[in-house]
Amino acid sequence: MTIVVDLPTPPRVLAIGAHADDIEFGCGATLAKWAAAGAHVTMCVCTDGSKGTWDGDADLAALIATRENEQRDAATLLGAADVVFLRYVDGELDSGPSATGAVCRVIREVRPDVVLGHDPWQPYRIHPDHYHAGLLVTAGIVAARDPHFFPEQGVAPHRPDTLLCFEPGRVDHVESVDGYVDHKINALLAHRSQWRSTMAIDARPDAERAAFAAKLYAEARAEGLRAGLRGAESFARIDDI
Ligand SMILES: [Zn+2]
């Protein structure tokens, strides 16, 4: 499959993820690059993150608040302008009409040129929130562009130009991220509550942080090899919107 390298910097960008930190894993370096070039970047997190701990006695209200604060810090490190929290219960996200309407409203209000989200067609993915968040992006775009979906919202329809699906089942587009992998790593490390469960940073934090960073650099190099780049993030690209 032919792989296209780099969109022109979009003026307005909306990235939608199931959980706090998903967007950074999927496209954090791309967002940092575009923000540095002047794009207005909005991040939208669908769930409240309330399953994101291995501590069975955790105070979940406190965890939700902590994760939102971490997400705002991560957004700042990427240069994003805004974070929208939809606050659906973690692990129970669906892609029915109510959640589709919520994502449609965000798309209509943000008016992005490019939308980024989970690839809903990535095979053998077991977390249902990632699957549903991907479907919410595609269903939300379809609804946002046509006036007879959710007219009660009272917000003008909006049709983005391009959807980039991150962690894709097939790759036909890459963004060069040389110089922006550090932004991605630092934004991910802002999710301090996820160090142990998601990033394997626990008993030996200095060494394990370094190992985590090395893994992300290796991933960026591997994706870059697809197109002769020093570092990249990969996507399935949809322009037929
Ligand atoms: Zn996730």
Side-chain angles (χ1 to χ4, degrees), residues 18-19 21-22 118 127 130:
H19 310 107
D21 81 15
D22 284 341
H118 298 273
H127 201 309
H130 294 168

Side-chain angles (χ1 to χ4, degrees), residues 141-218:
I141 287 172
V142 169
R145 70 189 186 190
D146 292 340
H148 294 293
F149 286 86
F150 308 107
E152 72 282 4
Q153 291 181 350
V155 189
H158 175 73
R159 184 188 295 261
D161 295 327
T162 300
L163 168 62
L164 294 179
C165 300
F166 52 70
E167 295 165 0
R170 65 160 166 83
V171 175
D172 58 5
H173 181 92
V174 297
E175 285 291 324
S176 172
V177 297
D178 193 24
Y180 292 95
V181 178
D182 278 341
H183 295 70
K184 174 174 184 161
I185 293 166
N186 290 334
L188 281 163
L189 291 174
H191 296 275
R192 179 70 181 80
S193 67
Q194 304 305 294
W195 280 17
R196 179 171 172 236
S197 58
T198 301
M199 303 174 200
I201 303 169
D202 189 20
R204 298 180 301 120
D206 288 347
E208 288 159 352
R209 267 200 310 270
F212 177 70
K215 178 166 152 271
L216 287 171
Y217 265 102

Side-chain angles (χ1 to χ4, degrees), residues 11-15 31-32 34-35 39-43 78-83 110:
R12 298 182 68 79
V13 177
L14 173 62
L31 296 184
W34 285 344
H40 182 281
V41 175
T42 300
M43 304 171 80
L78 294 179
D82 201 8
V83 187
V110 172

Side-chain angles (χ1 to χ4, degrees), residues 89-155:
V89 175
D90 192 348
E92 300 178 17
L93 189 64
D94 68 33
S95 42
S98 173
T100 298
V103 171
C104 167
R105 175 187 281 278
V106 174
I107 293 168
R108 287 174 170 172
E109 290 178 345
V110 172
R111 308 189 72 72
D113 303 284
V114 173
V115 177
L116 304 98
H118 298 273
D119 184 347
W121 301 287
Q122 195 225 54
Y124 309 115
R125 174 200 291 280
I126 69 161
H127 201 309
D129 287 351
H130 294 168
Y131 165 70
H132 285 294
L135 285 179
L136 282 172
V137 172
T138 56
I141 287 172
V142 169
R145 70 189 186 190
D146 292 340
H148 294 293
F149 286 86
F150 308 107
E152 72 282 4
Q153 291 181 350
V155 189

